[in-house]
Amino acid sequence: DTQMTQSPTSLSASVGDRVIISCRASQDITSAVAWYQQKPGKAPKLLVYAASRLESGVPSRFSGSGFGTDFTLSISTLQPEDFATYFCQQYHGAPPYTFGQGTKLEI
Amino acid sequence: QVQLQESGPGLVKPSETLSLICSVSGGSIRNYFWSWIRQPPGKALEWIGHMSTTGDSRYNPSFESRVTLSADTSKNQLSLGLRSVTAADTARYYCARQEGDVFDIWGQGTDVTVSS
């Protein structure tokens, strides 16, 4: 199975900051990566798929990039509602699908 | 809009079968694949398996020998059965709708503890 190594595991930032979260795949997965946001007690929310395509309704301050083994999720201007946990998922040649460990974004 | 709600016993004894239901509202379960995903405390999400109402199913090899997925179209529900559970099966369990190979709608999850 393809392993996804996500970093950092936690990140402190302030409203208005730009943050970048990374995922590295254990093998070439082309652009088969999705990113999700999860808030405590809430259902995870799909943000980005195919490495860089924004899901409908997701604010444009979110963006994804990467190809092959290295991927990033960027949030350009942090808003208070963006403080959450983010995780990546790979789906190249899947199933089985695999996920990163998650990044907790804190104020 | 489509909403998913997982339900089931929060406590299961070791060696028994964990049984969960995912109730889907706001849309039909037909024409999609539906996945079960879990997250043990402090660990990454794990994909358990998926199925469609046409009977197509795939499982994570880590669970294949002891998992059963089913669907009830009359109730618009999905079901997960996981046999011979151990403490390692303690986790939050989610159901999720697939759009292609990504999960576009998730339930809030239900916590399951395996303990005697």
Side-chain angles (χ1 to χ4, degrees):
Chain A
D1 298 350
T2 301
Q3 305 305 312
M4 299 296 284
T5 302
Q6 189 171 341
S7 63
T9 54
S10 65
L11 180 59
S12 294
S14 301
V15 172
D17 285 353
R18 175 184 174 88
V19 298
I20 298 174
I21 299 168
S22 299
C23 262
R24 173 164 287 176
S26 59
Q27 60 185 302
D28 186 343
I29 57 171
T30 64
S31 59
V33 165
W35 291 92
Y36 301 86
Q37 176 193 66
Q38 185 177 25
K39 296 182 180 179
K42 301 291 188 182
K45 176 184 176 182
L46 174 65
L47 299 175
V48 170
Y49 63 96
S52 60
R53 295 183 181 231
L54 213 60
E55 174 73 346
S56 176
V58 174
S60 59
R61 63 181 179 272
F62 292 90
S63 63
S65 65
F67 187 88
T69 61
D70 292 306
F71 303 88
T72 59
L73 174 71
S74 300
I75 311 173
S76 60
T77 307
L78 274 175
Q79 299 300 303
E81 61 268 29
D82 300 335
F83 291 93
T85 296
Y86 295 85
F87 53 92
C88 59
Q89 174 225 338
Q90 72 80 25
Y91 51 94
H92 180 69
Y97 309 104
T98 52
F99 297 87
Q101 286 276 10
T103 296
K104 187 174 184 179
L105 177 56
E106 301 174 297
I107 298 174
Chain B
Q1 71 279 25
V2 176
Q3 293 185 311
L4 284 58
Q5 180 66 59
E6 304 88 347
S7 60
L11 182 63
V12 182
K13 290 182 167 55
S15 80
E16 295 189 343
T17 296
L18 180 164
S19 297
L20 298 177
I21 288 175
C22 174
S23 299
V24 179
S25 59
S28 173
I29 62 173
R30 299 180 189 274
N31 302 319
Y32 286 96
F33 275 87
W34 300 88
S35 273
W36 287 91
I37 298 162
R38 75 178 192 181
Q39 187 169 31
K43 295 188 177 182
L45 292 155
E46 297 177 291
W47 179 76
I48 298 170
H50 70 197
M51 69 167 298
S52 71
T53 56
T54 60
D56 291 337
S57 61
R58 291 282 299 273
Y59 302 102
N60 187 325
S62 297
F63 299 97
E64 191 163 15
S65 64
R66 59 191 185 102
V67 69
T68 300
L69 301 184
S70 61
D72 186 334
T73 53
S74 67
K75 295 182 179 179
N76 224 36
Q77 291 179 338
L78 298 311
S79 297
L80 165 72
L82 187 65
R83 296 179 291 278
S84 304
V85 297
T86 69
D89 294 309
T90 293
R92 175 163 291 185
Y93 287 77
Y94 297 92
C95 59
R97 190 181 80 171
Q98 284 187 228
E99 185 63 62
D101 289 309
V102 299
F103 308 105
D104 67 337
I105 302 175
W106 296 62
Q108 292 184 327
T110 188
D111 289 328
V112 177
T113 300
V114 178
S115 175
S116 56

